[in-house]
Amino acid sequence: MSSFLHGCRYFILPLVITVMALTILQVTEANWQIWDEIIGQLPYWLLSIAAAMALQFNRSRLAFLALLLLVFYVGKQSSAQLFTTLDNYTDELFIGGAIVISWFALIKDRGIISSHGMVRTLGIIVGLGLGFIWLAVLDRFQAEIIAKSPVNVTYRTLTLLPIICCFILVFFRAIWRANLVNTSILTTLGIWLFYYFQPDTLPLAVLLSSLAMIYLFTILIDSYFLAYRDELTGLASRRALYNLVLSLGRKYSVAMLDIDHFKKFNDTYGHDVGDQVLRLVAAKMARVSGGGKVFRYGGEEFTIVFPRKNTQAILDDLEDVRESIEDYRIVLREDKRQKKNNTQARAKRSKSRSAGTKTVSVTISIGVAERLRGESFDQALKRADQALYRAKKKGRNQICL
């Protein structure tokens, strides 16, 4: 998948959907106001469910955020003296909240019931405390800061400075590490700030319920990709292959593909280079034409299924894949982790650099089988594997039926 498509899937598209959904909610507000009482209860249930599911699927950052938002909502709905007192510190809480949300964008998911959970709890306390400290410092040194500032600033601008910095940080983090969790955290910060600046545009219950739904969708979609996608290559996994089998008709062809001499290549150049080769080969296979669906079967083996196609119709498509991999040159650079023991080694490296970098190439062998009448998928796959074995015996880098 290209970086552009990856960004669209995990960054742009979720944000566009969120903005459209909130816009529709605002436009149709008159239609759902009769459900105010029910909507007011939704955050309690949805945020609790989101937190529980996030914990179950090891998305601790979303679990923490869901729980914090739940506490915030409880405080807003409660008439207890503790929470009503906090209403006097709205600016401090929103600045501290923005800092906490930004901090969750920078850390990794870790278990809550562990030392990591304690560190994250401490981070929440520190983040909220920084909101109070920032405004206390401004109140104390406001005149000096404005007088010594090289540009014309106001107290309001200085108040918003941490929020602006937080949004820029989380925004670029979500672009740089485009995934659904980071996009959800960016959305959380966006809705948090939206409620701060426009508290009367949409009810808090609607905003928090929307966030809880975003968390739930993020967890479910992430879990789906974890179960059905190979992490190294990004291709669909063997589990996804057998899921596809359930929807296949009676006519299809299946191809088994294997990287030639991959074990020897791994032993010669190392597993890091081997992983690079697997990713490159997978990227070439993913471009197969003819309606083929590509899966990583295991190790250096891949499977391509062509629904409603016979073997003669797919040979040219497979040949294109084989040739594209054979023609691709992989650049091997010197391992920078190698210890620099003496001047002779340095001189050798310098000479090597001047001579240019080394390139290698890999080839693949392919076995193809068409499903026969009364045959199961496993039987067709076994015949494709036998054809692959024949391609290996005949000299590799070829297709056998």
Side-chain angles (χ1 to χ4, degrees):
M1 182 189 302
S2 69
S3 58
F4 175 74
L5 291 177
H6 183 84
C8 286
R9 173 177 290 183
Y10 295 111
F11 179 71
I12 299 173
L13 188 59
L15 288 181
V16 170
I17 293 174
T18 301
V19 172
M20 289 177 61
L22 291 178
T23 302
I24 292 171
L25 285 172
Q26 184 181 5
V27 171
T28 60
E29 185 173 1
N31 297 325
W32 49 260
Q33 278 185 335
I34 57 174
W35 303 97
D36 273 353
E37 187 175 345
I38 295 175
I39 292 172
Q41 299 299 315
L42 282 179
Y44 296 115
W45 294 100
L46 291 177
L47 287 172
S48 299
I49 294 170
M53 288 192 63
L55 287 174
Q56 178 66 31
F57 290 97
N58 298 316
R59 295 295 181 266
S60 61
R61 292 181 292 169
L62 295 184
F64 269 114
L65 288 173
L67 291 174
L68 288 172
L69 292 171
L70 180 59
V71 171
F72 177 73
Y73 186 68
V74 170
K76 282 292 185 180
Q77 303 302 308
S78 175
S79 58
Q81 185 177 356
L82 172 63
F83 293 115
T84 55
T85 302
L86 289 177
D87 286 339
N88 299 323
Y89 301 97
T90 301
D91 290 343
E92 289 87 347
L93 286 174
F94 273 94
I95 293 173
I99 294 172
V100 170
I101 295 169
S102 303
W103 184 63
F104 277 114
L106 299 177
I107 61 177
K108 296 180 179 179
D109 286 308
R110 292 289 187 270
I112 289 183
I113 313 299
S114 65
S115 59
H116 297 289
M118 296 177 62
V119 171
R120 280 147 179 75
T121 303
L122 181 61
I124 293 169
I125 297 171
V126 171
L128 292 173
L130 287 174
F132 286 83
I133 292 171
W134 177 254
L135 289 186
V137 169
L138 283 185
D139 290 339
R140 174 68 177 81
F141 300 103
Q142 174 185 350
E144 291 89 336
I145 294 173
I146 293 176
K148 294 180 179 180
S149 175
V151 294
N152 185 23
V153 294
T154 62
Y155 178 78
R156 184 61 173 170
T157 304
L158 291 173
T159 302
L160 297 178
L161 184 60
I163 293 178
I164 296 170
C165 293
C166 287
F167 186 81
I168 292 173
L169 179 66
V170 177
F171 182 81
F172 282 104
R173 173 71 174 177
I175 294 176
W176 183 43
R177 296 287 187 186
N179 60 59
L180 289 177
V181 174
N182 283 341
T183 303
S184 296
I185 295 174
L186 174 62
T187 305
T188 303
L189 181 58
I191 289 179
W192 181 258
L193 300 182
F194 176 79
Y195 181 70
Y196 176 58
F197 292 110
Q198 300 288 333
D200 299 323
T201 303
L202 280 172
L204 180 60
V206 172
L207 294 175
L208 294 187
S209 297
S210 301
L211 266 181
M213 293 300 297
I214 290 170
Y215 291 172
L216 289 171
F217 279 119
T218 296
I219 294 164
L220 292 174
I221 294 171
D222 254 10
S223 301
Y224 170 83
F225 279 106
L226 187 65
Y228 289 97
R229 288 280 165 182
D230 176 63
E231 186 176 1
L232 177 64
T233 63
L235 294 177
S237 64
R238 188 191 296 193
R239 179 179 293 182
L241 169 64
Y242 281 96
N243 195 49
L244 172 70
V245 169
L246 300 176
S247 62
L248 284 176
R250 297 181 179 181
K251 181 178 181 181
Y252 59 84
S253 293
V254 58
M256 288 293 292
L257 304 88
D258 185 88
I259 302 176
D260 297 327
H261 302 297
F262 184 73
K263 185 179 184 304
K264 182 178 178 181
F265 190 94
N266 244 350
D267 293 340
T268 303
Y269 299 107
H271 291 286
D272 288 342
V273 177
D275 288 347
Q276 179 188 356
V277 169
L278 284 172
R279 284 192 290 266
L280 291 170
V281 169
K284 295 291 183 182
M285 290 181 184
R287 299 174 185 170
V288 64
S289 55
K293 301 180 186 300
V294 188
F295 305 85
R296 186 181 181 192
Y297 194 76
E300 66 271 26
E301 285 190 318
F302 300 84
T303 304
I304 303 181
V305 178
F306 294 87
R308 301 177 299 279
K309 294 287 183 71
N310 58 37
T311 52
Q312 295 303 317
I314 65 172
L315 287 179
D316 288 341
D317 302 315
L318 291 171
E319 183 63 22
D320 289 340
V321 171
R322 189 197 64 78
E323 288 180 357
S324 68
I325 294 172
E326 180 186 20
D327 295 340
Y328 190 81
R329 291 293 178 264
I330 302 169
V331 178
L332 299 180
R333 305 185 187 280
E334 186 181 4
D335 189 352
K336 294 181 180 179
R337 293 172 297 179
Q338 229 175 3
K339 293 185 178 180
K340 303 176 182 180
N341 295 322
N342 49 50
T343 54
Q344 183 178 3
R346 292 192 190 95
K348 184 177 180 181
R349 279 191 295 272
S350 177
K351 185 176 180 181
S352 175
R353 280 194 297 268
S354 63
T357 53
K358 182 180 180 181
T359 62
V360 297
S361 62
V362 295
T363 59
I364 61 170
S365 299
I366 305 175
V368 187
E370 180 181 346
R371 178 190 177 274
L372 302 176
R373 181 184 294 272
E375 193 176 45
S376 69
F377 177 80
D378 284 329
Q379 291 171 326
L381 189 67
K382 184 176 181 179
R383 289 195 297 108
D385 196 50
Q386 292 169 345
L388 172 63
Y389 181 72
R390 290 195 295 273
K392 294 279 189 183
K393 290 197 69 173
K394 289 183 177 180
R396 295 179 169 83
N397 192 25
Q398 57 186 281
I399 301 173
C400 277
L401 300 177

